[in-house]
Amino acid sequence: MSRLFFSSSRSWLALILFLASCGAFTVAQSTPVDANGHPWWQHAVFYEIYPRSFADSNNDGVGDLNGISSRMSYLHDLGIDAIWITPCYPSPQVDFGYDVSDYENIDPMYGTLKDFDRMVGEGKENSVRVIMDFVLNHTSDQHSWFLDSKSSRSSAHRDWYLWRDGKAPGHPPNNWISIFGGSAWNFDPTTHQFYYHAFYPQQPDLNWRNPAVEKEMLDTTRWWYRRGVAGFRLDAVDMLFEDPELRDNPVLTGTDTLGDPNMEDKYNRNLPEVHEELQKLRKVADESDAVLIGETWTATAAQLDRYYGQNGNELQMPMDFMFMMVDKLSPPEFRRQIAAVDGTHGWPVFVISNHDRVRSYNRYGDGKNNDAIAKLMGAFYLTLRGTPIMYYGEEIGMENNDPKRREDVQDPIGRTGWPAEKGRDGERTPMQWNTTPNAGFSTTRPWLPVPPSYKTHNVESESKDPSSILNLYKKVLGLRHSNEALLEGSYTALNEDDPNVMSYLRSYKGKAILVALNMSATPQKAVFDLSKQGFGEARLQTLIASHAATTKGNEVALEPFGLLIAEVGR
Ligand code: NOJ
């Protein structure tokens, strides 16, 4: 049933809802659906905000919640339906908020719970829902639970974390390596045991096998749902459980950028228990019609598929990072990846950038045609079948601004791994609002410097330029929200042997949109025979196009990195 369960076809859904109402089978998805049978998040466009860097209302150099509130109408006008805010809970900020010291409050640097409520209210006024980031694998080492846990072997919270004796004096319990470098075990002299941390030593892993931890965390999600959040992005979900026997991981050849031996994370990642836990989190989310987005690193479509759950009872939106990892403009690779996620039981979730990866502007850009390529990528992933999650600044072509000197680095891994690993500062710089100093983000020196390109790539200047990246994004998002073929339609790859032009049809109820994207640096022509799709000789009516794109009958001519989105006529 599950393949059909997620089908975008109205008739199948009508049938399923009918069968469900007859009690023929249980429908795990309880979210209210729209007239076309979709829960809200399937038609929504999500936007990731790194709160330190979006808008600084009190001019202390760090962004805040009131800053986000003040930009809610910008988000609405852009075409955003939901924002995911990376962690803004109280935190010592070792990992910039991914080290939480209190799950039910706001860090004073970002504001107060009142400011949070105001932001949710402002969001409602602008039809923008708020998604929180839930850091459930680990806490900060300054969280009261951990402080108590480390205080003595018999403390009330001792078993909330993973404490073990070393293999021998001075030797950790096993060979597991932290994602941020070095052994994943830290020795604590107070109680003479090691604790486990998948990330920084200041981020001890919670023991999810302890029912008290599970209860507390599930209750935390309820607490935020009651406060009006529309869902969570779940951090590092694949790391929640560890092998109870703590077996050594198999060692592979070579070393990583932090100098550690490569390893297969066989015993501390992706354990089957993760899925049981996701089902529980989902049950609670369903009580509030909330959506769960997953930070789901997968190597295969089958792994991604599992995250949806066997009856659609785990994550509604596991992010497809395999798509994001196609780092070059390669139609064959993109086709393969889209076909793979289309073959899962779930609704695809497309992302091209986030706060942990070099910005798409640089990853896909060739250094000469980056603006054209940024538009091409926007026209691409925002017209696929699925829900996109944008990253702030992508819509204006923000570029990475990597630190030039080790002493300027803020992200700890950038200091440990310098110069091979410069850390993630480059993709987290302040949002570029206008041409004033610090790009209008703050009147004080911001926590990270803006790149020189802010003079041309900023919201104010691009709003006035009809051919800007921002206006292309607005047009595509506008079309996406109003065109049924883009909202509901199936995806069919076209001209699959073409190595340069990525093209596809989104069709729904006899109507179709054709998207053609020249991913090469040379002019290209593409001819479309859509008779198999029921359109005979296609007549294309341009809706959105790059400046030199032309159509003649069923033929499209595109300049280097040109794009065309057209309605297909009979
Ligand atoms: C994934 C987050 O995206 C990343 O920024 C963070 O450092 C780790 N999880 C640890 O929480």
Side-chain angles (χ1 to χ4, degrees):
M1 124 176 174
S2 39
R3 175 101 191 93
L4 303 178
F5 182 73
F6 287 98
S7 160
S8 61
S9 141
R10 267 192 210 172
S11 45
W12 278 118
L13 246 153
L15 176 66
I16 287 160
L17 293 173
F18 169 73
L19 290 174
S21 67
C22 301
F25 51 76
T26 339
V27 176
Q29 174 70 58
S30 73
T31 309
V33 291
D34 66 12
N36 290 315
H38 290 272
W40 69 270
W41 47 268
Q42 286 190 342
H43 282 176
V45 173
F46 287 65
Y47 185 96
E48 178 190 351
I49 289 181
Y50 202 67
R52 292 181 76 91
S53 295
F54 195 61
D56 179 11
S57 74
N58 61 353
N59 289 308
D60 61 356
V62 175
D64 44 56
L65 300 188
N66 285 337
I68 297 174
S69 295
S70 72
R71 298 294 182 171
M72 217 49 106
S73 60
Y74 165 74
L75 295 166
H76 169 82
D77 295 348
L78 176 59
I80 303 304
D81 307 289
I83 51 174
W84 145 36
I85 305 177
T86 63
C88 51
Y89 313 95
S91 159
Q93 303 287 322
V94 172
D95 192 15
F96 299 108
Y98 283 97
D99 45 325
V100 178
S101 54
D102 178 357
Y103 286 92
E104 294 180 0
N105 214 332
I106 297 294
D107 194 293
M109 112 176 29
Y110 295 125
T112 61
L113 279 169
K114 237 179 164 182
D115 297 332
F116 179 86
D117 295 341
R118 190 173 322 122
M119 180 182 67
V120 171
E122 202 63 45
K124 269 201 187 120
E125 300 254 300
N126 287 280
S127 312
V128 176
R129 301 182 205 230
V130 174
I131 305 289
M132 288 290 266
D133 203 318
F134 193 35
V135 190
L136 66 172
N137 175 68
H138 46 268
T139 68
S140 159
D141 64 348
Q142 298 307 306
H143 196 295
S144 58
W145 303 336
F146 188 72
L147 293 176
D148 180 55
S149 184
K150 70 183 267 199
S151 66
S152 95
R153 288 196 185 200
S154 58
S155 71
H157 292 89
R158 184 63 172 182
D159 197 29
W160 281 44
Y161 296 85
L162 290 131
W163 291 97
R164 294 292 184 280
D165 291 330
K167 256 186 188 159
H171 290 271
N174 63 23
N175 73 348
W176 297 354
I177 294 291
S178 149
I179 288 172
F180 290 155
S183 169
W185 295 93
N186 208 41
F187 185 72
D188 184 65
T190 320
T191 56
H192 292 95
Q193 276 195 315
F194 288 83
Y195 67 86
Y196 174 64
H197 57 92
F199 297 92
Y200 291 121
Q202 296 89 341
Q203 294 168 296
D205 268 50
L206 282 164
N207 174 14
W208 274 84
R209 294 185 193 276
N210 181 341
V213 169
E214 181 186 73
K215 182 178 179 316
E216 182 69 37
M217 296 306 264
L218 293 178
D219 283 349
T220 300
T221 67
R222 285 193 181 94
W223 191 87
W224 284 104
Y225 293 141
R226 281 198 298 274
R227 238 185 156 102
V229 313
F232 284 99
R233 175 265 190 189
L234 303 179
D235 186 62
V237 280
D238 50 351
M239 310 294 298
L240 288 192
F241 286 88
E242 297 75 28
D243 175 35
E245 293 169 45
L246 302 184
R247 278 168 282 188
D248 275 350
N249 277 330
V251 180
L252 308 171
T253 53
T255 51
D256 62 21
T257 51
L258 296 172
D260 291 311
N262 288 324
M263 247 176 224
E264 185 198 340
D265 296 334
K266 186 170 174 182
Y267 294 112
N268 59 341
R269 202 165 191 158
N270 256 325
L271 267 57
E273 291 90 327
V274 165
H275 294 281
E276 290 164 28
E277 206 51 63
L278 290 179
Q279 287 164 31
K280 295 184 190 171
L281 283 152
R282 174 62 184 276
K283 254 196 166 154
V284 177
D286 281 348
E287 290 165 12
S288 300
D289 294 326
V291 67
L292 295 179
I293 304 172
E295 192 204 4
T296 38
W297 290 99
T298 59
T300 63
Q303 278 178 10
L304 180 63
D305 203 10
R306 276 206 75 183
Y307 278 112
Y308 291 102
Q310 300 211 319
N311 298 309
N313 60 352
E314 294 186 25
L315 302 175
Q316 297 102 319
M317 291 179 56
M319 290 189 257
D320 176 8
F321 289 141
M322 294 176 291
F323 179 85
M324 178 173 76
M325 295 307 276
V326 178
D327 267 348
K328 49 181 183 231
L329 292 178
S330 163
E333 287 198 30
F334 280 127
R335 279 184 206 117
R336 236 191 323 277
Q337 200 42 58
I338 296 165
V341 68
D342 244 29
T344 67
H345 297 95
W347 182 256
V349 180
F350 293 109
V351 181
I352 59 171
S353 305
N354 67 29
H355 64 282
D356 293 326
R357 285 226 77 202
V358 170
R359 280 185 176 271
S360 55
Y361 189 82
N362 301 75
R363 287 198 345 274
Y364 297 106
D366 64 355
K368 280 187 278 180
N369 300 286
N370 286 28
D371 283 10
I373 294 171
K375 291 177 201 166
L376 177 101
M377 288 308 292
F380 179 26
Y381 87 112
L382 299 176
T383 57
L384 289 173
R385 177 186 158 268
T387 298
I389 305 182
M390 292 168 53
Y391 184 47
Y392 81 95
E394 191 179 275
E395 73 275 21
I396 51 169
M398 266 175 68
E399 64 177 341
N400 248 67
N401 193 24
D402 288 331
K404 311 285 175 296
R405 307 175 314 170
R406 186 173 181 272
E407 56 267 40
D408 297 331
V409 176
Q410 304 260 1
D411 186 16
I413 50 168
R415 288 198 295 272
T416 329
W418 189 269
E421 168 64 71
K422 294 193 167 64
R424 299 162 291 178
D425 294 356
E427 53 263 36
R428 298 173 173 181
T429 59
M431 177 69 177
Q432 297 163 195
W433 295 104
N434 57 39
T435 54
T436 62
N438 307 320
F441 165 76
S442 177
T443 52
T444 327
R445 191 170 161 212
W447 76 289
L448 286 174
V450 295
S453 63
Y454 83 91
K455 289 274 184 196
T456 48
H457 291 71
N458 64 72
V459 171
E460 198 177 290
S461 309
E462 289 193 41
S463 299
K464 294 179 199 146
D465 172 6
S467 66
S468 66
I469 301 170
L470 179 59
N471 275 316
L472 184 277
Y473 263 78
K474 278 191 182 165
K475 275 186 226 158
V476 176
L477 289 172
L479 185 64
R480 198 198 142 86
H481 278 109
S482 58
N483 185 286
E484 282 204 308
L486 287 183
L487 287 171
E488 317 279 343
S490 57
Y491 163 91
T492 310
L494 301 173
N495 296 3
E496 290 190 76
D497 294 331
D498 191 326
N500 299 307
V501 179
M502 172 85 206
S503 54
Y504 46 92
L505 199 69
R506 299 286 319 280
S507 39
Y508 181 71
K509 285 195 159 183
K511 291 198 171 159
I513 293 284
L514 182 142
V515 181
L517 309 160
N518 180 2
M519 296 198 166
S520 82
T522 51
Q524 300 290 334
K525 280 196 172 143
V527 178
F528 296 103
D529 172 6
L530 301 178
S531 43
K532 266 203 244 146
Q533 284 78 35
F535 289 96
E537 283 237 326
R539 275 187 307 104
L540 300 174
Q541 207 188 329
T542 303
L543 298 175
I544 300 173
S546 52
H547 66 95
T550 56
T551 63
K552 206 162 102 204
N554 62 347
E555 186 180 295
V556 174
L558 295 167
E559 76 270 36
F561 307 111
L563 67 94
L564 176 96
I565 304 175
E567 180 126 45
V568 183
R570 281 171 203 279

